[in-house]
Amino acid sequence: MTDKSQDIEQLISHLERDKSFLSSVTRWEKIAARRGDYADLPPGLHPALSAAIKKRGITRLYTHQALCYQHVRAGKNITVVTPTASGKTLCYNLPILQTLLEDPAAKALYLFPTKALSQDQQAELNEVVLSQDIPVKIYTYDGDTPSSVRVSARNAGRIVISNPDMLHAGILPNHPKWIKFLQNLRFVVIDEVHTYRGVFGSHMTNLMRRLKRILRFYNSKPLFICCSATIGNPLELSQAVIEEQAELVDKNGAPSGSKHLIFYNPPLVDPVQGIRRGVVHEAQKLAALFLKAGIKTIVFARSRVRTELIASYINKSLANVYTDNRRIRVEPYRGGYLPNERRTIEQGLRKGTVQGVVSTNALELGIDIGGLDAAILAGFPGSIASSWQQAGRAGRSATVSLAVIIASASPLNQYIINHPEYFLEKSPESGWINADNMYILLDHLKCAVFELPFKQSEGFPGPVTELLDYLEENGVVRRSAHSYYWADRSYPAEQISLRSATAENVVIINTTKGKHEVIGEMDRPSAKELLFDNAIYMHRGEQYVVTSLDIDNKRCYVEETDANYYTDSIVKTDIKLLHEDKRYHKANSALVVGDILVRTQTAKFKKLKFNTHENIGYGDIHLPEEEMHTRSVVVLFAENTPAGSAFRDLADTEKIPVIARLGYLIKNVAPVFLLCDPRDIGIAERLKDTHFACPCFYIYDSYPGGTGLSEGFTEHADSIFQAALERIELCVCKTGCPSCIGAVEETADYKIDAKQALHTFLTVWLKERK
Amino acid sequence: MKSGPGLYERFKRFTQVASTLSGARQKTSLPGKARQPDKNKPDRVDSLKLAGWKQLHEFVYSRSLTLPNPYKDLRPEPLFFEKTHKIRSELCFYDTETTGLSGGAGNVVFLLGLGRIKNDHLLFEQYFLADFPGEPEFLSLLSPKLRDDYLYVSYNGSAFDRHILQTRYIMHGMQKNLPNQLDLLFTARRLWKPLIGHCSLHQVEEQVLDIIRKQDVPGQEVPALYFEYLRTANPAHLKLIFTHNKQDILSLIHLYYKLQTIFEYPLGTQDIDSSALGRMLLALKHPQAEALLEKAAAKDDPRCAHILSMHYKANGRWEEALKIWQQLYNRGKNTSAGLELAKYWEHKKRQYGKALSITEDLLANAVPHPVQLRRALQHRSRRLRQKISHSGISNGTD
């Protein structure tokens, strides 16, 4: 422990003296260590329980744990906000085990967003329960549970640990088999509740509506215990998920070590074009430096491809230095790996056989990977909340830790790195749910009718009977004697995925040298963009080339390759306005909110060389298009608005570049205000829109039916355009770069100064009001 | 949370577009083209006019048929049932038809067929649920038909029909303990799966019982026919279902009789997996079990030979077992026979050298063993070497 402290303190003082490193640092924030606040073990705690926790070295509680205990024992729902290493599980395990010991019939359901977290929890609970022979049977019930164990889980499980997907497709549709459990269900724990925002959260709310509906049928009304990482509105979000009141517990009593938080903007290599050193290389360089200093390091990358790239770069750079004598192992970790691969890596990290890991946000959640000393964020993760979580992955209660946020060239990253105060002072984002997204609601209504015939709306909001009538017209529901019955031979939950717009996953099969081995899977829309024929697919550092993608049969065949490039697809989008719902006059322009149909097609792909990322060729993709109904806001440069006249005043040659570049800029700036990821937003520009008969651009929600982003955009339109203008003004480049309006390629069709033109346009457009 | 058009209105909008656009493939989760809602449709189906059926309740119908008993010597105590069942007064063959093909709370039983043999007759009954609201009455009326003192014979009933029925009772808050089952699927699978595959009732009918159904609906089409009847109130579709269900029960009786014959005269049976039958006969302590296995072993069936040898071993008939192992091992380096030989020489005869040479022989086998087996062999080899060296020392000092 002290060795580690010395290692890291040495590294920090080394960095503090490194001039070239410091020249790229825009802020170095030192967060002081904190002492813990403690409370006595609650009076009346069952002796076996207090003996069990004492055995683990716990003789008193943190104040927030004690408060949770009081609230739950008083019969109140709670939402507890828990930073990393604050003893979260005791917040719910203590009051629940106490009740389960008092009442031998009582049961509890724990829901974790991932299987890995469930397994962690099972291991932890077992430790408590087995150490004192506490007679509480605990079962994990997920897709991996063998059918023999499933029966005992249903009949004998006092605590059943599961995930939303299993509740949705396994437990609720078969609720009569769970009658004993559901009749006596006293607690529902929803851990990592902050992950249930956006689409996933909307599904979760509807899932809870279904659960509560079934529980009413069995006359039980459990308490809900929600645990959240630090977000802007933990209480509001969890209340939106459970649709009940809850008490907020957010005064953390756990101690924490001091932390250094460094904002790092990679140095400019070409000030004219505004090109900075790439985030991948900078991350690799810092990670290698840390690892060689003996610091256990986690790198968070923004995409699956980058995870693989960074890990392989780090391993290569280390292989040059240390050959066989001191092996430092770095593993990539991301979704799409098979469960046992993931478990192996997690275990390696805990046991210390793996010193470094490069991960997508998959490791952001509380999977137990032991203590890490440093976190490197290769690119701003898109939200302040997940930045804190990722940074929080380094550091345990007693030691100094280090987190470095490396900015990428994107406008969003450049905005944050130049405004560290925005990051440090603003409270983290709030999570929002649009539980009444009609696709999501309708899907869950189908499941709910399957589970129990409907007599009235029964806890579902809005025009439930109308939606049920719609389902009847389509022959999956039958209305008879004023009730609605499921009338289809299918099992609806099977076709509905809580995680993505489609339940259809493409299975990736390695067929190298006659093998036939499943190496991963991917949802269908992503597969169309990443697994097209001849695409390069990377998996645990291995490269594969796609030999054929069979969308109909959901299979993708790949073979190992050692090509020196990777691939990136080019997506074409076609938009049709279905209905205009509302028109606003805001931000010196006209904004229209309505429903649209988006048709996307991946038609071409680029081949990009490793390391230099230069474009070395194109290829064609032949795949059917994807269709999506969603919600959009359209920014109109109508004649009678300042935006319209500012646009009209542009030279004709400037119009196309200005509107195209504006799209890029907005897509990348808006997420700061909409609390979403740039990937959640689609953009399409029209020089002359056939419907509106004027120049405009569409900003739309990338999820079918919409999740409220369009409405959010209209609220924040002024600030978003203002921030876009500011981004151009603050950017050091001359003619445009990825950090503001997008890179201007040598081959661009137009020979005008797009950055200047866009700056002028925005200035004129936005000036009027001020 | 935001003002805007109503959910339903937007929904209509999307679906209209979906149906006007290009007859495109349905890619969203929305079901196909919306039909015109029939606002005049009555809330329930008018009383059914079904010849030979009587209405027990608004939505519940039943009929009884007395058919000739096809098998006078059909015996109520199943010879082939491994579990010892309390002798029950009667056998009852049954099958359900349901609205879905997998389980779950939304899968409803709408038809139950029951067949009982009474002397010269086969008493056949069907109970039919004509619409969902009648389910509580349907289940109440079925309850006395599912008796504790009958043995219920089914095809896949213990995995499917029984659970679906149990679920239905729970869904209506009713207490009902379903009686135990005799599920012929298990027995059929063991005997015929290697020969005919999956062993659906249909396959067994065609390939074992020589029954060819005429004008039958496949089982998976039954839900669609029932829904079609619910929508149109046209009972024509129902006749197909009723006949299908009746045929299922007749086939069950044929199958039961076939199994009875096989277990009565196993040596006269052909086209069957002898090793599976032999194993079952041994478990039942059937007097002809050994004879059957010996016959098959003589016809060069190593699995039967192995089963027989293990049976001899379990009964301490070492000489007979040893003969089979040696035969099997000498002929084709049979791994399990080799392993048994190694155990025999080591533990029974304490001839470690012999045991070791076979173990080493197995380890040298060109075909790689599964890891666990390889480890077990290595462990055995080490242990044998130790024993040999120990006994060598003690021999020397003596």
Side-chain angles (χ1 to χ4, degrees), chain B residues 269-303:
Chain B
T269 313
Q270 283 172 352
D271 294 331
I272 207 157
D273 183 344
S274 303
S275 63
L277 179 58
R279 217 188 284 259
M280 290 164 79
L281 292 174
L282 283 178
L284 293 165
K285 301 202 185 340
H286 193 286
Q288 287 174 356
E290 284 176 29
L292 178 95
L293 287 166
E294 275 160 12
K295 197 174 125 192
K299 282 189 189 160
D300 211 17
D301 183 336
R303 282 182 309 153

mmCIF file of all heavy atoms in Angstrom, chain B residues 269-303:
data_model
loop_
_atom_site.group_PDB
_atom_site.id
_atom_site.type_symbol
_atom_site.label_atom_id
_atom_site.label_comp_id
_atom_site.label_asym_id
_atom_site.label_seq_id
_atom_site.Cartn_x
_atom_site.Cartn_y
_atom_site.Cartn_z
ATOM 1 N N THR B 269 -38.723 -57.336 -30.171
ATOM 2 C CA THR B 269 -38.846 -55.957 -30.668
ATOM 3 C C THR B 269 -37.768 -55.636 -31.685
ATOM 4 O O THR B 269 -36.619 -56.025 -31.519
ATOM 5 C CB THR B 269 -38.710 -54.987 -29.496
ATOM 6 O OG1 THR B 269 -39.535 -55.460 -28.452
ATOM 7 C CG2 THR B 269 -39.128 -53.617 -29.904
ATOM 8 N N GLN B 270 -38.158 -54.939 -32.722
ATOM 9 C CA GLN B 270 -37.168 -54.494 -33.707
ATOM 10 C C GLN B 270 -37.229 -52.981 -33.864
ATOM 11 O O GLN B 270 -38.129 -52.325 -33.374
ATOM 12 C CB GLN B 270 -37.442 -55.176 -35.046
ATOM 13 C CG GLN B 270 -36.946 -56.604 -35.025
ATOM 14 C CD GLN B 270 -37.336 -57.379 -36.224
ATOM 15 O OE1 GLN B 270 -38.113 -56.909 -37.051
ATOM 16 N NE2 GLN B 270 -36.819 -58.581 -36.327
ATOM 17 N N ASP B 271 -36.277 -52.433 -34.584
ATOM 18 C CA ASP B 271 -36.229 -50.993 -34.854
ATOM 19 C C ASP B 271 -36.322 -50.163 -33.568
ATOM 20 O O ASP B 271 -37.197 -49.333 -33.402
ATOM 21 C CB ASP B 271 -37.365 -50.583 -35.810
ATOM 22 C CG ASP B 271 -37.165 -51.204 -37.160
ATOM 23 O OD1 ASP B 271 -35.992 -51.441 -37.513
ATOM 24 O OD2 ASP B 271 -38.161 -51.474 -37.836
ATOM 25 N N ILE B 272 -35.415 -50.426 -32.690
ATOM 26 C CA ILE B 272 -35.442 -49.735 -31.411
ATOM 27 C C ILE B 272 -34.005 -49.607 -30.928
ATOM 28 O O ILE B 272 -33.140 -50.371 -31.341
ATOM 29 C CB ILE B 272 -36.313 -50.550 -30.426
ATOM 30 C CG1 ILE B 272 -36.901 -49.637 -29.375
ATOM 31 C CG2 ILE B 272 -35.519 -51.677 -29.772
ATOM 32 C CD1 ILE B 272 -38.131 -50.210 -28.770
ATOM 33 N N ASP B 273 -33.738 -48.628 -30.078
ATOM 34 C CA ASP B 273 -32.402 -48.481 -29.527
ATOM 35 C C ASP B 273 -32.230 -49.499 -28.397
ATOM 36 O O ASP B 273 -32.692 -49.286 -27.282
ATOM 37 C CB ASP B 273 -32.217 -47.045 -29.001
ATOM 38 C CG ASP B 273 -30.810 -46.826 -28.480
ATOM 39 O OD1 ASP B 273 -30.095 -47.816 -28.235
ATOM 40 O OD2 ASP B 273 -30.434 -45.655 -28.325
ATOM 41 N N SER B 274 -31.573 -50.636 -28.712
ATOM 42 C CA SER B 274 -31.489 -51.726 -27.740
ATOM 43 C C SER B 274 -30.781 -51.309 -26.468
ATOM 44 O O SER B 274 -31.128 -51.768 -25.377
ATOM 45 C CB SER B 274 -30.727 -52.908 -28.334
ATOM 46 O OG SER B 274 -31.331 -53.326 -29.511
ATOM 47 N N SER B 275 -29.780 -50.463 -26.577
ATOM 48 C CA SER B 275 -29.049 -50.103 -25.363
ATOM 49 C C SER B 275 -29.960 -49.321 -24.422
ATOM 50 O O SER B 275 -29.949 -49.545 -23.216
ATOM 51 C CB SER B 275 -27.798 -49.292 -25.705
ATOM 52 O OG SER B 275 -28.136 -48.080 -26.316
ATOM 53 N N ALA B 276 -30.767 -48.405 -25.007
ATOM 54 C CA ALA B 276 -31.688 -47.641 -24.168
ATOM 55 C C ALA B 276 -32.722 -48.570 -23.553
ATOM 56 O O ALA B 276 -33.009 -48.497 -22.353
ATOM 57 C CB ALA B 276 -32.375 -46.550 -24.988
ATOM 58 N N LEU B 277 -33.266 -49.444 -24.359
ATOM 59 C CA LEU B 277 -34.272 -50.375 -23.847
ATOM 60 C C LEU B 277 -33.645 -51.278 -22.776
ATOM 61 O O LEU B 277 -34.230 -51.497 -21.714
ATOM 62 C CB LEU B 277 -34.847 -51.219 -25.001
ATOM 63 C CG LEU B 277 -35.900 -52.254 -24.607
ATOM 64 C CD1 LEU B 277 -37.083 -51.596 -23.910
ATOM 65 C CD2 LEU B 277 -36.378 -53.032 -25.837
ATOM 66 N N GLY B 278 -32.431 -51.761 -23.059
ATOM 67 C CA GLY B 278 -31.750 -52.630 -22.105
ATOM 68 C C GLY B 278 -31.554 -51.932 -20.773
ATOM 69 O O GLY B 278 -31.809 -52.498 -19.706
ATOM 70 N N ARG B 279 -31.107 -50.709 -20.834
ATOM 71 C CA ARG B 279 -30.885 -49.935 -19.619
ATOM 72 C C ARG B 279 -32.191 -49.806 -18.825
ATOM 73 O O ARG B 279 -32.219 -49.955 -17.605
ATOM 74 C CB ARG B 279 -30.377 -48.548 -20.018
ATOM 75 C CG ARG B 279 -29.349 -47.986 -19.078
ATOM 76 C CD ARG B 279 -29.081 -46.560 -19.449
ATOM 77 N NE ARG B 279 -28.229 -46.456 -20.649
ATOM 78 C CZ ARG B 279 -26.909 -46.200 -20.579
ATOM 79 N NH1 ARG B 279 -26.328 -46.085 -19.425
ATOM 80 N NH2 ARG B 279 -26.204 -46.082 -21.667
ATOM 81 N N MET B 280 -33.276 -49.496 -19.562
ATOM 82 C CA MET B 280 -34.558 -49.342 -18.879
ATOM 83 C C MET B 280 -35.017 -50.672 -18.282
ATOM 84 O O MET B 280 -35.537 -50.704 -17.165
ATOM 85 C CB MET B 280 -35.613 -48.811 -19.859
ATOM 86 C CG MET B 280 -35.357 -47.355 -20.257
ATOM 87 S SD MET B 280 -36.295 -46.849 -21.728
ATOM 88 C CE MET B 280 -37.881 -46.564 -21.001
ATOM 89 N N LEU B 281 -34.808 -51.732 -19.013
ATOM 90 C CA LEU B 281 -35.225 -53.047 -18.511
ATOM 91 C C LEU B 281 -34.439 -53.417 -17.252
ATOM 92 O O LEU B 281 -34.986 -53.969 -16.298
ATOM 93 C CB LEU B 281 -35.036 -54.123 -19.589
ATOM 94 C CG LEU B 281 -35.961 -54.029 -20.809
ATOM 95 C CD1 LEU B 281 -35.571 -55.055 -21.860
ATOM 96 C CD2 LEU B 281 -37.424 -54.198 -20.419
ATOM 97 N N LEU B 282 -33.142 -53.104 -17.276
ATOM 98 C CA LEU B 282 -32.322 -53.389 -16.092
ATOM 99 C C LEU B 282 -32.859 -52.627 -14.890
ATOM 100 O O LEU B 282 -32.985 -53.178 -13.796
ATOM 101 C CB LEU B 282 -30.870 -52.989 -16.345
ATOM 102 C CG LEU B 282 -30.021 -53.914 -17.209
ATOM 103 C CD1 LEU B 282 -28.628 -53.322 -17.389
ATOM 104 C CD2 LEU B 282 -29.926 -55.307 -16.591
ATOM 105 N N ALA B 283 -33.157 -51.356 -15.115
ATOM 106 C CA ALA B 283 -33.664 -50.529 -14.024
ATOM 107 C C ALA B 283 -34.974 -51.103 -13.481
ATOM 108 O O ALA B 283 -35.276 -50.971 -12.305
ATOM 109 C CB ALA B 283 -33.855 -49.094 -14.498
ATOM 110 N N LEU B 284 -35.754 -51.694 -14.383
ATOM 111 C CA LEU B 284 -37.037 -52.266 -13.960
ATOM 112 C C LEU B 284 -36.876 -53.696 -13.436
ATOM 113 O O LEU B 284 -37.860 -54.332 -13.067
ATOM 114 C CB LEU B 284 -38.003 -52.292 -15.154
ATOM 115 C CG LEU B 284 -38.469 -50.947 -15.692
ATOM 116 C CD1 LEU B 284 -39.093 -51.118 -17.058
ATOM 117 C CD2 LEU B 284 -39.460 -50.303 -14.740
ATOM 118 N N LYS B 285 -35.632 -54.200 -13.434
ATOM 119 C CA LYS B 285 -35.346 -55.589 -13.056
ATOM 120 C C LYS B 285 -36.178 -56.558 -13.893
ATOM 121 O O LYS B 285 -36.768 -57.517 -13.391
ATOM 122 C CB LYS B 285 -35.588 -55.819 -11.563
ATOM 123 C CG LYS B 285 -34.746 -54.914 -10.668
ATOM 124 C CD LYS B 285 -34.614 -55.523 -9.311
ATOM 125 C CE LYS B 285 -33.892 -54.684 -8.280
ATOM 126 N NZ LYS B 285 -33.037 -53.625 -8.706
ATOM 127 N N HIS B 286 -36.251 -56.287 -15.143
ATOM 128 C CA HIS B 286 -37.044 -57.085 -16.068
ATOM 129 C C HIS B 286 -36.321 -58.418 -16.310
ATOM 130 O O HIS B 286 -35.112 -58.434 -16.550
ATOM 131 C CB HIS B 286 -37.188 -56.323 -17.385
ATOM 132 C CG HIS B 286 -38.214 -56.884 -18.300
ATOM 133 N ND1 HIS B 286 -38.035 -58.039 -18.996
ATOM 134 C CD2 HIS B 286 -39.453 -56.438 -18.635
ATOM 135 C CE1 HIS B 286 -39.112 -58.279 -19.721
ATOM 136 N NE2 HIS B 286 -39.994 -57.318 -19.523
ATOM 137 N N PRO B 287 -37.035 -59.553 -16.265
ATOM 138 C CA PRO B 287 -36.356 -60.851 -16.416
ATOM 139 C C PRO B 287 -35.626 -61.000 -17.754
ATOM 140 O O PRO B 287 -34.699 -61.805 -17.860
ATOM 141 C CB PRO B 287 -37.492 -61.869 -16.277
ATOM 142 C CG PRO B 287 -38.751 -61.098 -16.447
ATOM 143 C CD PRO B 287 -38.470 -59.706 -16.001
ATOM 144 N N GLN B 288 -36.046 -60.275 -18.774
ATOM 145 C CA GLN B 288 -35.396 -60.460 -20.070
ATOM 146 C C GLN B 288 -34.330 -59.406 -20.367
ATOM 147 O O GLN B 288 -33.814 -59.344 -21.493
ATOM 148 C CB GLN B 288 -36.448 -60.471 -21.179
ATOM 149 C CG GLN B 288 -37.231 -61.772 -21.138
ATOM 150 C CD GLN B 288 -38.376 -61.803 -22.109
ATOM 151 O OE1 GLN B 288 -38.658 -60.817 -22.781
ATOM 152 N NE2 GLN B 288 -39.033 -62.932 -22.196
ATOM 153 N N ALA B 289 -34.025 -58.586 -19.374
ATOM 154 C CA ALA B 289 -33.065 -57.504 -19.614
ATOM 155 C C ALA B 289 -31.722 -58.043 -20.104
ATOM 156 O O ALA B 289 -31.196 -57.604 -21.133
ATOM 157 C CB ALA B 289 -32.894 -56.684 -18.336
ATOM 158 N N GLU B 290 -31.163 -59.008 -19.356
ATOM 159 C CA GLU B 290 -29.849 -59.529 -19.735
ATOM 160 C C GLU B 290 -29.884 -60.188 -21.103
ATOM 161 O O GLU B 290 -28.998 -59.977 -21.932
ATOM 162 C CB GLU B 290 -29.357 -60.531 -18.693
ATOM 163 C CG GLU B 290 -28.868 -59.858 -17.434
ATOM 164 C CD GLU B 290 -28.470 -60.861 -16.371
ATOM 165 O OE1 GLU B 290 -28.054 -61.977 -16.733
ATOM 166 O OE2 GLU B 290 -28.577 -60.527 -15.175
ATOM 167 N N ALA B 291 -30.932 -60.939 -21.329
ATOM 168 C CA ALA B 291 -31.046 -61.637 -22.606
ATOM 169 C C ALA B 291 -31.030 -60.656 -23.766
ATOM 170 O O ALA B 291 -30.353 -60.861 -24.774
ATOM 171 C CB ALA B 291 -32.324 -62.473 -22.628
ATOM 172 N N LEU B 292 -31.767 -59.541 -23.596
ATOM 173 C CA LEU B 292 -31.821 -58.545 -24.674
ATOM 174 C C LEU B 292 -30.444 -57.944 -24.932
ATOM 175 O O LEU B 292 -29.994 -57.837 -26.067
ATOM 176 C CB LEU B 292 -32.810 -57.429 -24.314
ATOM 177 C CG LEU B 292 -32.884 -56.334 -25.364
ATOM 178 C CD1 LEU B 292 -34.023 -56.592 -26.333
ATOM 179 C CD2 LEU B 292 -33.000 -54.964 -24.738
ATOM 180 N N LEU B 293 -29.763 -57.582 -23.852
ATOM 181 C CA LEU B 293 -28.452 -56.954 -23.997
ATOM 182 C C LEU B 293 -27.434 -57.945 -24.559
ATOM 183 O O LEU B 293 -26.604 -57.585 -25.390
ATOM 184 C CB LEU B 293 -27.984 -56.385 -22.657
ATOM 185 C CG LEU B 293 -28.717 -55.116 -22.219
ATOM 186 C CD1 LEU B 293 -28.460 -54.811 -20.763
ATOM 187 C CD2 LEU B 293 -28.292 -53.918 -23.087
ATOM 188 N N GLU B 294 -27.507 -59.181 -24.092
ATOM 189 C CA GLU B 294 -26.587 -60.187 -24.609
ATOM 190 C C GLU B 294 -26.762 -60.378 -26.110
ATOM 191 O O GLU B 294 -25.800 -60.446 -26.872
ATOM 192 C CB GLU B 294 -26.805 -61.535 -23.899
ATOM 193 C CG GLU B 294 -26.026 -61.635 -22.597
ATOM 194 C CD GLU B 294 -26.588 -62.714 -21.670
ATOM 195 O OE1 GLU B 294 -27.420 -63.528 -22.132
ATOM 196 O OE2 GLU B 294 -26.217 -62.709 -20.489
ATOM 197 N N LYS B 295 -28.037 -60.368 -26.499
ATOM 198 C CA LYS B 295 -28.338 -60.552 -27.923
ATOM 199 C C LYS B 295 -27.740 -59.397 -28.743
ATOM 200 O O LYS B 295 -27.089 -59.605 -29.768
ATOM 201 C CB LYS B 295 -29.860 -60.612 -28.113
ATOM 202 C CG LYS B 295 -30.297 -61.203 -29.442
ATOM 203 C CD LYS B 295 -31.825 -61.357 -29.470
ATOM 204 C CE LYS B 295 -32.417 -60.646 -30.661
ATOM 205 N NZ LYS B 295 -33.876 -60.516 -30.583
ATOM 206 N N ALA B 296 -27.941 -58.187 -28.227
ATOM 207 C CA ALA B 296 -27.439 -57.017 -28.954
ATOM 208 C C ALA B 296 -25.915 -56.982 -28.939
ATOM 209 O O ALA B 296 -25.281 -56.641 -29.941
ATOM 210 C CB ALA B 296 -28.022 -55.744 -28.349
ATOM 211 N N ALA B 297 -25.327 -57.359 -27.794
ATOM 212 C CA ALA B 297 -23.868 -57.354 -27.685
ATOM 213 C C ALA B 297 -23.267 -58.355 -28.672
ATOM 214 O O ALA B 297 -22.241 -58.080 -29.304
ATOM 215 C CB ALA B 297 -23.438 -57.688 -26.262
ATOM 216 N N ALA B 298 -23.930 -59.466 -28.797
ATOM 217 C CA ALA B 298 -23.457 -60.480 -29.737
ATOM 218 C C ALA B 298 -23.499 -59.960 -31.165
ATOM 219 O O ALA B 298 -22.740 -60.379 -32.020
ATOM 220 C CB ALA B 298 -24.297 -61.745 -29.600
ATOM 221 N N LYS B 299 -24.414 -59.010 -31.390
ATOM 222 C CA LYS B 299 -24.495 -58.417 -32.729
ATOM 223 C C LYS B 299 -23.551 -57.223 -32.849
ATOM 224 O O LYS B 299 -23.782 -56.316 -33.645
ATOM 225 C CB LYS B 299 -25.927 -57.958 -33.020
ATOM 226 C CG LYS B 299 -26.857 -59.100 -33.388
ATOM 227 C CD LYS B 299 -28.180 -58.528 -33.881
ATOM 228 C CE LYS B 299 -29.205 -59.628 -34.037
ATOM 229 N NZ LYS B 299 -30.557 -59.066 -34.048
ATOM 230 N N ASP B 300 -22.541 -57.201 -31.987
ATOM 231 C CA ASP B 300 -21.503 -56.187 -32.106
ATOM 232 C C ASP B 300 -21.994 -54.789 -31.769
ATOM 233 O O ASP B 300 -21.676 -53.823 -32.464
ATOM 234 C CB ASP B 300 -20.947 -56.209 -33.548
ATOM 235 C CG ASP B 300 -19.483 -55.795 -33.520
ATOM 236 O OD1 ASP B 300 -18.894 -55.826 -32.416
ATOM 237 O OD2 ASP B 300 -18.959 -55.447 -34.580
ATOM 238 N N ASP B 301 -22.780 -54.672 -30.703
ATOM 239 C CA ASP B 301 -23.200 -53.351 -30.242
ATOM 240 C C ASP B 301 -22.419 -53.029 -28.970
ATOM 241 O O ASP B 301 -22.741 -53.516 -27.900
ATOM 242 C CB ASP B 301 -24.717 -53.368 -29.974
ATOM 243 C CG ASP B 301 -25.231 -51.996 -29.557
ATOM 244 O OD1 ASP B 301 -24.429 -51.196 -29.038
ATOM 245 O OD2 ASP B 301 -26.426 -51.741 -29.754
ATOM 246 N N PRO B 302 -21.324 -52.252 -29.073
ATOM 247 C CA PRO B 302 -20.459 -52.038 -27.905
ATOM 248 C C PRO B 302 -21.173 -51.329 -26.749
ATOM 249 O O PRO B 302 -20.852 -51.567 -25.592
ATOM 250 C CB PRO B 302 -19.309 -51.183 -28.452
ATOM 251 C CG PRO B 302 -19.809 -50.600 -29.717
ATOM 252 C CD PRO B 302 -20.856 -51.523 -30.257
ATOM 253 N N ARG B 303 -22.155 -50.463 -27.061
ATOM 254 C CA ARG B 303 -22.832 -49.765 -25.962
ATOM 255 C C ARG B 303 -23.600 -50.762 -25.105
ATOM 256 O O ARG B 303 -23.604 -50.681 -23.884
ATOM 257 C CB ARG B 303 -23.774 -48.691 -26.502
ATOM 258 C CG ARG B 303 -23.034 -47.419 -26.926
ATOM 259 C CD ARG B 303 -24.013 -46.394 -27.403
ATOM 260 N NE ARG B 303 -24.891 -46.997 -28.403
ATOM 261 C CZ ARG B 303 -26.121 -46.594 -28.655
ATOM 262 N NH1 ARG B 303 -26.640 -45.616 -27.969
ATOM 263 N NH2 ARG B 303 -26.842 -47.169 -29.580
#
